[in-house]
Amino acid sequence: DVVMTQTPPSLSVAIGQSVSISCKSSQSLVYSDGKTYLHWLLQSSGRSPKRLIYQVSNLDSGVPDRFSGTGSQKDFTLKISRVEAKDLGVYYCAQTTHFPYTFGAGTKLELK
Amino acid sequence: EVQLQQSGPEVGRPGSSVKISCKASGYTFTDYVMNWVKQSPGQGLEWIGWIDPEYGSTDYAEKFKKKATLTADTSSSTAYIQLSSLTSEDTATYFCALTTLYWGQGVMVTVSS
């Protein structure tokens, strides 16, 4: 199985600060169609996960451009600029290139 | 608008089975596979498997092959997951998910005698 290593496990941030979360995979996430199926999800307390970014860098509808995703092959980063209170929760990277699909362990974003 | 409405919380005795439903609306049910994901209390997300409602074909993560059975009823646009031989390790919230974009609200399964 593809192991997704996400760091850091937690982040303490002040409102307005910028943060980055790293996600590294044990194998390349480039699929045979040339696309990279690496996504970022946010799970706010007690809620279902919500996808923010798909295929490395594409923002889902309604997601503010304070969020950005970069990376390739096995090394990916989620950046959040000017953190707002509604951004708090647990962020997961997820790969759907290889079966079984796998997730990072999560990064908990908390207020400082 | 795509919606995935899951059934209510379940309590199962050790050794028994439970079956959870996920009713889909807002899209053509047979056009997309339905995924299932497990989240143990305070833990991360684990992909269980998917079902193609059109053909009934399934794929499972290895650790869930003897635990979960995925089915789908195209007449009611509902996907199901049955969890068998319940143990305390099965206490978790189970989500259905359409791609990684649309998620059900989750169903809490508690295994308790």
Side-chain angles (χ1 to χ4, degrees):
Chain A
D1 297 1
V2 177
V3 176
M4 306 294 288
T5 302
Q6 208 177 316
T7 54
S10 65
L11 273 171
S12 191
V13 63
I15 299 299
Q17 212 179 325
S18 294
V19 296
S20 290
I21 300 170
S22 169
C23 178
K24 297 183 190 295
S25 59
S26 60
Q27 299 177 33
S28 170
L29 299 185
V30 181
Y31 189 56
S32 54
D33 62 4
K35 296 180 181 178
T36 301
Y37 293 93
L38 183 284
H39 322 289
W40 291 96
L41 311 171
L42 166 61
Q43 188 173 31
S44 303
S45 182
R47 307 200 64 173
S48 303
K50 173 189 174 184
R51 195 178 74 185
L52 304 174
I53 289 174
Y54 64 98
Q55 292 175 33
V56 181
S57 59
N58 298 286
L59 263 60
D60 277 294
S61 176
V63 175
D65 60 8
R66 299 182 295 99
F67 291 87
S68 62
T70 57
S72 63
Q73 300 288 334
K74 299 167 55 177
D75 195 349
F76 306 92
T77 301
L78 172 71
K79 182 177 179 181
I80 313 169
S81 302
R82 305 180 306 280
V83 167
E84 299 182 5
K86 60 185 175 183
D87 301 336
L88 303 181
V90 182
Y91 289 82
Y92 296 97
C93 58
Q95 68 82 20
T96 57
T97 297
H98 303 285
F99 285 123
Y101 301 157
T102 48
F103 299 85
T107 295
K108 187 172 185 178
L109 188 64
E110 307 174 291
L111 264 184
K112 191 177 289 183
Chain B
E1 178 195 4
V2 173
Q3 290 192 347
L4 301 175
Q5 183 64 41
Q6 296 188 242
S7 47
E10 296 274 357
V11 177
R13 301 278 189 221
S16 71
S17 298
V18 295
K19 192 172 186 178
I20 299 165
S21 66
C22 171
K23 183 169 176 58
S25 60
Y27 72 101
T28 302
F29 184 59
T30 50
D31 279 356
Y32 298 92
V33 303
M34 185 68 73
N35 297 278
W36 289 88
V37 175
K38 176 184 180 181
Q39 186 169 38
S40 299
Q43 301 301 308
L45 304 166
E46 283 184 279
W47 181 76
I48 296 171
W50 56 253
I51 181 167
D52 182 339
E54 182 170 15
Y55 300 106
S57 53
T58 55
D59 198 3
Y60 298 88
E62 190 65 36
K63 71 176 286 189
F64 292 104
K65 283 184 176 178
K66 293 184 179 179
K67 172 60 62 179
T69 302
L70 305 182
T71 57
D73 178 357
T74 56
S75 67
S76 63
S77 297
T78 302
Y80 299 90
I81 180 171
Q82 178 165 315
L83 303 167
S84 60
S85 303
L86 293 174
T87 72
S88 58
E89 300 279 304
D90 300 317
T91 293
T93 297
Y94 294 84
F95 295 98
C96 56
L98 183 65
T99 69
T100 47
L101 179 57
Y102 300 104
W103 293 70
Q105 80 273 26
V107 174
M108 181 68 201
V109 173
T110 304
V111 181
S112 173
S113 55

